[in-house]
Amino acid sequence: SQQGEEDPQALSIQEGENATMNCSYKTSINNLQWYRQNSGRGLVHLILIRSNEREKHSGRLRVTLDTSKKSSSLLITASRAADTASYFCATGPPGGGADGLTFGKGTHLIIQP
Amino acid sequence: NAGVMQNPRHLVRRRGQEARLRCSPMKGHSHVYWYRQLPEEGLKFMVYLQKENIIDESGMPKERFSAEFPKEGPSILRIQQVVRGDSAAYFCASSPPTGAWGNIQYFGAGTRLSVL
């Protein structure tokens, strides 16, 4: 089955800097999503990018998708302490529709004040 | 509109006992998903259900694990004769009927199962 792999596994930056996380996957996808998980909590959906889109913005978030390289990146600009969390990419089934998502192991982001 | 509700938040069981995890989806959502998360790992898909139907249980162990989503009431993930390896966080997610570009899933806070 397709598998998202995030890179780096852990990232520590100063508040105000930009944070970039990458995700690679193995098979064709219909969409790719990014989720955030604060320690001990459930996942919160951040952004969904469709396979026919190359870039998408939401507030301080910017996501890119390169289907030829089977990779995506998540950029958080002007980071804040509250952005400290684990970030996961997730892929859905190739045909679209509803089904379980396949998650990577995540990038643990620490924002130092 | 309440989010996805899971209970209990924490569950402690001894080896050989049964664990029952409950999930109430968001209002208007007809799709329920269960995932398992081990420490420092991502979520692993277990099962996808709609009302009274199991749609995809490819990620669920064949033995000891079962799931249901009855016409009335919450979805239940049931683990019989628990073993220490079942210790994990179990997350439920729900989504509305999906469009052509896939579904955004809304997650509960999870149930942390500890098997002694």
Side-chain angles (χ1 to χ4, degrees), chain A residues 22-65:
Chain A
N22 303 297
C23 167
S24 60
Y25 56 92
K26 294 179 181 176
T27 62
S28 63
I29 59 171
N30 174 276
N31 67 80
L32 186 142
Q33 304 181 41
W34 285 89
Y35 287 80
R36 182 186 74 220
Q37 184 179 33
N38 290 88
S39 180
R41 307 292 292 273
L43 274 69
V44 174
H45 178 263
L46 296 176
I47 198 164
L48 180 152
I49 186 165
R50 300 172 178 177
S51 58
N52 65 349
E53 296 176 312
R54 292 296 167 258
E55 187 170 312
K56 202 162 182 179
H57 296 254
S58 176
R60 293 183 296 111
L61 305 180
R62 173 176 160 250
V63 169
T64 63
L65 180 64

Side-chain angles (χ1 to χ4, degrees), chain A residues 96-108:
Chain A
D99 208 335
L101 297 174
T102 300
F103 287 85
K105 292 186 177 182
T107 291
H108 184 48

